[in-house]
Amino acid sequence: MARAALRPRTLFRPRAAKPEKPAPPPTEPTKQSAKPAAPKNAKHTKNTKNTTKSSSRAERRPLPFPLRLLAMLFAFVFMVAFAVALARLTLEPSPASVKLVHTNLHPGDSLRAYLDQPALRDAVKQIGGNVLLGVPFGILVPVVAPRARGVLRVLLLTAAVMLLVEFAQGALVTGRAFDIDDVILNTTGALLGYLLLGRRVSRAVHARERRLRR
């Protein structure tokens, strides 16, 4: 009887209530609230910046086709006239200079010979003349041949043409000789012509409208 009377007490013993977790104090910021809220107008300002950049890039529009054609024809005619003048200057025989000229394959030898001349006028004439001879290449080549735009392409094309001229002088023309320094000076002139005027003219004639970036 004592055992039976004790059994209900063990079965119906009330469970102890679980202690509730204390709520975090309202003053402590959570991880999400710690991040600064992005301004509402940030996306709008970013879009406006992108649109201004894209609009400034799209402002470079090519010239009308008649003007482009006229500019290319004018450059082509000038290039032909320059080629004729170049041939007369470089490929004309000079029998009186047979004993004075010699082949130069070492860069700098002819430059030192020009600078060692007693008259400064002769040195300026030799060096400045070869530099000016290459300036039209830097101006006309990017206009006549749009695919040749760029400093490296203009320099390579000028050097190739001048090498052919120097080879023709040394092999076919009396009183002329191959000189590597002349090629260097001509290429330098082409570089100056491209940087001063050729790049701007080629951009004005062959400018392309760029697509707007989203």
Side-chain angles (χ1 to χ4, degrees), residues 58-73:
E59 287 178 357
R60 294 180 179 177
R61 296 181 178 179
L63 294 175
F65 181 75
L67 294 180
R68 293 177 61 189
L69 183 61
L70 183 63
M72 293 182 67
L73 288 175

Side-chain angles (χ1 to χ4, degrees), residues 11-116:
L11 291 175
F12 298 98
R13 182 180 296 175
R15 296 180 181 179
K18 294 182 180 180
E20 296 181 357
K21 295 182 180 180
T27 57
E28 294 181 359
T30 58
K31 293 182 179 180
Q32 296 180 355
S33 61
K35 296 181 179 180
K40 295 181 181 180
N41 297 329
K43 187 175 181 180
H44 179 68
T45 55
K46 187 176 181 181
N47 292 333
T48 54
K49 289 181 180 179
N50 292 332
T51 52
T52 53
K53 290 181 180 179
S54 57
S55 61
S56 62
R57 291 177 180 175
E59 287 178 357
R60 294 180 179 177
R61 296 181 178 179
L63 294 175
F65 181 75
L67 294 180
R68 293 177 61 189
L69 183 61
L70 183 63
M72 293 182 67
L73 288 175
F74 178 78
F76 179 75
V77 171
F78 196 84
M79 178 67 81
V80 172
F82 171 71
V84 173
L86 179 65
R88 293 187 62 180
L89 289 173
T90 58
L91 301 179
E92 186 177 356
S94 179
S97 302
V98 175
K99 297 181 180 180
L100 300 176
V101 298
H102 61 279
T103 302
N104 176 29
L105 299 176
H106 302 283
D109 288 351
S110 295
L111 290 176
R112 286 190 292 268
Y114 296 153
L115 297 175
D116 290 340

Side-chain angles (χ1 to χ4, degrees), residues 111-200:
L111 290 176
R112 286 190 292 268
Y114 296 153
L115 297 175
D116 290 340
Q117 293 181 3
L120 181 61
R121 182 180 179 180
D122 295 336
V124 173
K125 182 179 179 181
Q126 293 290 339
I127 297 176
N130 285 318
V131 172
L132 291 177
L133 201 61
V135 171
F137 281 94
I139 300 175
L140 299 176
V141 167
V143 179
V144 177
R147 294 184 179 180
R149 294 170 61 186
V151 178
L152 184 59
R153 294 180 181 179
V154 171
L155 294 182
L156 290 177
L157 184 59
T158 304
V161 173
M162 291 304 177
L163 281 173
L164 291 176
V165 172
E166 292 294 328
F167 279 125
Q169 282 183 346
L172 303 175
V173 183
T174 304
R176 302 284 183 174
F178 179 86
D179 195 341
I180 191 62
D181 286 337
D182 290 346
V183 178
I184 296 174
L185 293 175
N186 298 146
T187 308
T188 304
L191 176 62
L192 293 177
Y194 179 78
L195 294 178
L196 294 177
L197 191 59
R199 179 172 55 180
R200 298 178 183 179

